[in-house]
Amino acid sequence: MYRIGIVDDTEELLDDYAKRLRRSNIELLVAPEGTKEDIKRWIVQERVKCLLIDYQLSAKYDFNGTELAFFLDDVLHGFPYLILTSYSEDSIEEKLVVENCIVDRTVMGSNEDKFNDFCEQLKQITEVFDNTMNKYKKKYEYLLKKKQVEKLNAEEEETLMEVYRILRAYHEVDDIPAEMLKSSLSGQIDAVLKKLDVLLNIKEE
């Protein structure tokens, strides 16, 4: 199933939303209360692929929906979200998220045709996200293997570092010191290991 998260400070309609979405093979996961960092960790742990964010989060959270979206843009590169609001003009005027990420929340209770179109939009968003992450993984693996046999140029090394940081944020790669990916340090380590091999061979002789 498609894993979609939702951050909303009202609970009375969430069960209805979840049931409607489940009919379209979409699992709705409700975010915990807490800080923006708590929600970020939850997204990664639960492998949420898109987040529906209520614009007004006054009851349970000390931030609104666009502030959360702005935070996620910074800490989870490329993570998709939609702002659900009955006050789209307020969200647009803040200029923290682009207009096409703002959705009238009445779509969650709309007629079948409109709701089905919304479900297809959610599925497309998650598929694009999955494909993008897979491309990042392939790029990372390619550059890492290439680095093991030859020195990367400056552009390739910069790309490797950037892709590593993106994948690390999603816990898709091992958490290693970023310096280990730099050619300068890697070259020093290789030199030390070669010297060690020479010393060991001498002792054996």
Side-chain angles (χ1 to χ4, degrees), residues 137-160:
K137 291 176 189 176
K138 289 179 181 178
K139 174 68 74 174
Y140 177 75
E141 291 169 0
Y142 166 75
L143 290 173
L144 202 59
K145 287 179 180 178
K146 183 177 180 181
K147 184 179 181 301
Q148 293 171 352
V149 296
E150 61 182 285
K151 185 176 180 180
L152 301 180
N153 61 42
E155 183 179 350
E156 289 173 327
E157 189 168 289
E158 185 177 340
T159 300
L160 176 61

Side-chain angles (χ1 to χ4, degrees), residues 72-105:
L72 293 175
D73 280 337
D74 190 45
V75 298
L76 290 177
H77 179 84
F79 181 75
Y81 57 78
L82 294 174
I83 303 291
L84 300 176
T85 179
S86 302
Y87 311 95
S88 58
E89 64 279 0
D90 292 337
S91 302
I92 294 169
E93 287 174 3
E94 286 183 332
K95 298 188 185 303
L96 291 176
V97 298
V98 295
E99 187 173 350
N100 62 1
C101 289
I102 299 170
V103 177
D104 189 329
R105 70 171 300 127

Side-chain angles (χ1 to χ4, degrees), residues 8 15 21 29-30 41 55 67 102 124 131 154 162 187 196:
D8 199 335
D15 285 343
L21 289 167
L29 302 155
V30 181
R41 284 196 293 266
Y55 172 71
E67 289 170 340
I102 299 170
Q124 184 181 44
N131 290 337
E162 180 183 358
L196 183 60

Side-chain angles (χ1 to χ4, degrees), residues 190-204:
D190 289 342
V192 171
L193 291 175
K194 286 179 181 178
K195 289 180 180 179
L196 183 60
D197 285 341
V198 170
L199 289 173
L200 290 174
N201 289 333
I202 291 174
K203 285 186 177 181
E204 289 177 357

Side-chain angles (χ1 to χ4, degrees), residues 6-7 51-55 57 65 68-69 72 81-84:
I6 187 167
V7 184
L51 191 64
L52 304 177
I53 308 173
D54 182 39
Y55 172 71
L57 295 173
L68 174 60
L72 293 175
Y81 57 78
L82 294 174
I83 303 291
L84 300 176

Side-chain angles (χ1 to χ4, degrees), residues 173-200:
V173 294
D174 293 332
D175 192 8
I176 60 175
E179 290 78 7
M180 294 293 291
L181 299 176
K182 295 180 179 178
S183 295
S184 57
L185 181 60
S186 178
Q188 293 172 19
I189 293 173
D190 289 342
V192 171
L193 291 175
K194 286 179 181 178
K195 289 180 180 179
L196 183 60
D197 285 341
V198 170
L199 289 173
L200 290 174

